[in-house]
mmCIF file of all heavy atoms in Angstrom:
data_model
loop_
_atom_site.group_PDB
_atom_site.id
_atom_site.type_symbol
_atom_site.label_atom_id
_atom_site.label_comp_id
_atom_site.label_asym_id
_atom_site.label_seq_id
_atom_site.Cartn_x
_atom_site.Cartn_y
_atom_site.Cartn_z
ATOM 1 N N LYS A 368 -55.506 34.946 4.173
ATOM 2 C CA LYS A 368 -56.066 35.853 3.168
ATOM 3 C C LYS A 368 -57.522 36.001 3.079
ATOM 4 O O LYS A 368 -58.017 37.010 2.969
ATOM 5 C CB LYS A 368 -55.459 35.411 1.804
ATOM 6 C CG LYS A 368 -55.996 36.199 0.597
ATOM 7 C CD LYS A 368 -55.366 35.678 -0.703
ATOM 8 C CE LYS A 368 -55.861 36.323 -1.885
ATOM 9 N NZ LYS A 368 -55.808 37.796 -1.956
ATOM 10 N N TYR A 369 -58.190 34.753 3.251
ATOM 11 C CA TYR A 369 -59.724 34.841 3.013
ATOM 12 C C TYR A 369 -60.540 34.812 4.243
ATOM 13 O O TYR A 369 -61.690 35.106 4.272
ATOM 14 C CB TYR A 369 -60.087 33.603 2.153
ATOM 15 C CG TYR A 369 -59.666 33.752 0.604
ATOM 16 C CD1 TYR A 369 -58.358 33.331 0.297
ATOM 17 C CD2 TYR A 369 -60.470 34.278 -0.282
ATOM 18 C CE1 TYR A 369 -57.950 33.354 -0.993
ATOM 19 C CE2 TYR A 369 -60.103 34.304 -1.625
ATOM 20 C CZ TYR A 369 -58.802 33.942 -2.029
ATOM 21 O OH TYR A 369 -58.375 34.023 -3.245
ATOM 22 N N CYS A 370 -59.816 34.419 5.386
ATOM 23 C CA CYS A 370 -60.549 34.392 6.662
ATOM 24 C C CYS A 370 -60.026 35.203 7.673
ATOM 25 O O CYS A 370 -60.667 35.415 8.790
ATOM 26 C CB CYS A 370 -60.548 32.879 7.194
ATOM 27 S SG CYS A 370 -61.118 31.648 6.006
ATOM 28 N N GLY A 371 -58.887 35.798 7.452
ATOM 29 C CA GLY A 371 -58.247 36.715 8.482
ATOM 30 C C GLY A 371 -57.740 35.933 9.701
ATOM 31 O O GLY A 371 -57.702 36.523 10.824
ATOM 32 N N ILE A 372 -57.573 34.618 9.458
ATOM 33 C CA ILE A 372 -57.118 33.771 10.663
ATOM 34 C C ILE A 372 -55.624 33.471 10.446
ATOM 35 O O ILE A 372 -55.340 32.762 9.515
ATOM 36 C CB ILE A 372 -58.025 32.500 10.802
ATOM 37 C CG1 ILE A 372 -59.390 32.864 11.059
ATOM 38 C CG2 ILE A 372 -57.237 31.564 11.903
ATOM 39 C CD1 ILE A 372 -60.336 31.658 11.189
ATOM 40 N N ARG A 373 -54.720 33.942 11.418
ATOM 41 C CA ARG A 373 -53.330 33.594 11.362
ATOM 42 C C ARG A 373 -53.104 32.278 12.142
ATOM 43 O O ARG A 373 -53.392 32.247 13.350
ATOM 44 C CB ARG A 373 -52.420 34.669 11.953
ATOM 45 C CG ARG A 373 -52.479 35.932 11.078
ATOM 46 C CD ARG A 373 -51.586 37.012 11.741
ATOM 47 N NE ARG A 373 -50.108 36.625 11.688
ATOM 48 C CZ ARG A 373 -49.453 36.202 12.658
ATOM 49 N NH1 ARG A 373 -49.971 36.026 13.943
ATOM 50 N NH2 ARG A 373 -48.100 35.896 12.588
ATOM 51 N N LEU A 374 -52.662 31.238 11.497
ATOM 52 C CA LEU A 374 -52.509 29.973 12.119
ATOM 53 C C LEU A 374 -51.416 30.101 13.274
ATOM 54 O O LEU A 374 -51.586 29.364 14.233
ATOM 55 C CB LEU A 374 -52.083 28.850 11.125
ATOM 56 C CG LEU A 374 -52.160 27.426 11.650
ATOM 57 C CD1 LEU A 374 -53.539 27.097 11.989
ATOM 58 C CD2 LEU A 374 -51.779 26.556 10.436
ATOM 59 N N ASP A 375 -50.466 30.995 13.103
ATOM 60 C CA ASP A 375 -49.496 31.063 14.240
ATOM 61 C C ASP A 375 -50.084 31.462 15.543
ATOM 62 O O ASP A 375 -49.514 31.128 16.643
ATOM 63 C CB ASP A 375 -48.398 32.160 13.781
ATOM 64 C CG ASP A 375 -47.523 31.681 12.686
ATOM 65 O OD1 ASP A 375 -47.353 30.535 12.478
ATOM 66 O OD2 ASP A 375 -46.765 32.526 12.117
ATOM 67 N N ASP A 376 -51.231 32.048 15.516
ATOM 68 C CA ASP A 376 -51.928 32.424 16.754
ATOM 69 C C ASP A 376 -52.584 31.226 17.456
ATOM 70 O O ASP A 376 -53.062 31.338 18.574
ATOM 71 C CB ASP A 376 -53.058 33.481 16.486
ATOM 72 C CG ASP A 376 -52.436 34.790 16.040
ATOM 73 O OD1 ASP A 376 -51.185 35.105 16.301
ATOM 74 O OD2 ASP A 376 -53.160 35.569 15.194
ATOM 75 N N TYR A 377 -52.609 30.046 16.766
ATOM 76 C CA TYR A 377 -53.369 28.995 17.361
ATOM 77 C C TYR A 377 -52.584 27.658 17.421
ATOM 78 O O TYR A 377 -53.069 26.547 17.691
ATOM 79 C CB TYR A 377 -54.650 28.728 16.565
ATOM 80 C CG TYR A 377 -55.504 29.854 16.501
ATOM 81 C CD1 TYR A 377 -55.442 30.779 15.466
ATOM 82 C CD2 TYR A 377 -56.382 30.169 17.567
ATOM 83 C CE1 TYR A 377 -56.231 31.912 15.458
ATOM 84 C CE2 TYR A 377 -57.177 31.355 17.562
ATOM 85 C CZ TYR A 377 -57.124 32.222 16.451
ATOM 86 O OH TYR A 377 -57.857 33.333 16.498
ATOM 87 N N ARG A 378 -51.203 27.797 17.170
ATOM 88 C CA ARG A 378 -50.291 26.642 17.306
ATOM 89 C C ARG A 378 -49.478 26.760 18.568
ATOM 90 O O ARG A 378 -49.235 27.820 19.052
ATOM 91 C CB ARG A 378 -49.518 26.529 16.005
ATOM 92 C CG ARG A 378 -48.552 27.633 15.784
ATOM 93 C CD ARG A 378 -47.512 27.305 14.556
ATOM 94 N NE ARG A 378 -47.997 27.674 13.337
ATOM 95 C CZ ARG A 378 -48.130 26.839 12.269
ATOM 96 N NH1 ARG A 378 -47.966 25.584 12.511
ATOM 97 N NH2 ARG A 378 -48.503 27.289 11.117
ATOM 98 N N LEU A 379 -48.891 25.559 18.913
ATOM 99 C CA LEU A 379 -47.972 25.580 20.069
ATOM 100 C C LEU A 379 -46.704 26.121 19.590
ATOM 101 O O LEU A 379 -46.325 26.149 18.451
ATOM 102 C CB LEU A 379 -47.798 24.115 20.481
ATOM 103 C CG LEU A 379 -49.015 23.464 21.270
ATOM 104 C CD1 LEU A 379 -48.696 21.991 21.416
ATOM 105 C CD2 LEU A 379 -49.286 24.226 22.527
ATOM 106 N N PRO A 380 -45.914 26.623 20.584
ATOM 107 C CA PRO A 380 -44.573 27.166 20.212
ATOM 108 C C PRO A 380 -43.577 26.047 19.779
ATOM 109 O O PRO A 380 -43.853 24.866 20.112
ATOM 110 C CB PRO A 380 -44.073 27.851 21.494
ATOM 111 C CG PRO A 380 -44.896 27.234 22.574
ATOM 112 C CD PRO A 380 -46.169 26.739 22.045
ATOM 113 N N ALA A 381 -42.584 26.383 19.097
ATOM 114 C CA ALA A 381 -41.585 25.342 18.755
ATOM 115 C C ALA A 381 -41.028 24.682 19.970
ATOM 116 O O ALA A 381 -40.933 25.240 21.074
ATOM 117 C CB ALA A 381 -40.406 26.034 18.017
ATOM 118 N N PRO A 382 -40.714 23.418 19.908
ATOM 119 C CA PRO A 382 -40.557 22.556 18.709
ATOM 120 C C PRO A 382 -41.810 21.781 18.435
ATOM 121 O O PRO A 382 -41.865 20.901 17.478
ATOM 122 C CB PRO A 382 -39.490 21.589 19.087
ATOM 123 C CG PRO A 382 -39.792 21.383 20.578
ATOM 124 C CD PRO A 382 -40.162 22.667 21.173
ATOM 125 N N LYS A 383 -43.089 22.246 18.976
ATOM 126 C CA LYS A 383 -44.300 21.614 18.656
ATOM 127 C C LYS A 383 -45.270 22.451 17.847
ATOM 128 O O LYS A 383 -46.426 22.421 18.060
ATOM 129 C CB LYS A 383 -44.937 21.146 19.976
ATOM 130 C CG LYS A 383 -44.223 20.092 20.746
ATOM 131 C CD LYS A 383 -45.088 19.470 21.839
ATOM 132 C CE LYS A 383 -44.412 18.297 22.570
ATOM 133 N NZ LYS A 383 -45.225 17.668 23.641
ATOM 134 N N SER A 384 -44.623 23.251 16.977
ATOM 135 C CA SER A 384 -45.416 24.206 16.111
ATOM 136 C C SER A 384 -46.369 23.476 15.187
ATOM 137 O O SER A 384 -47.219 24.139 14.569
ATOM 138 C CB SER A 384 -44.493 25.172 15.405
ATOM 139 O OG SER A 384 -43.513 24.472 14.617
ATOM 140 N N GLY A 385 -46.269 22.166 15.011
ATOM 141 C CA GLY A 385 -47.141 21.494 14.183
ATOM 142 C C GLY A 385 -48.320 20.970 14.873
ATOM 143 O O GLY A 385 -49.154 20.310 14.214
#
Side-chain angles (χ1 to χ4, degrees):
K368 176 177 172 60
Y369 289 86
C370 307
I372 296 175
R373 292 180 69 256
L374 193 58
D375 285 345
D376 295 335
Y377 302 97
R378 64 167 91 240
L379 291 172
K383 292 190 174 183
S384 55

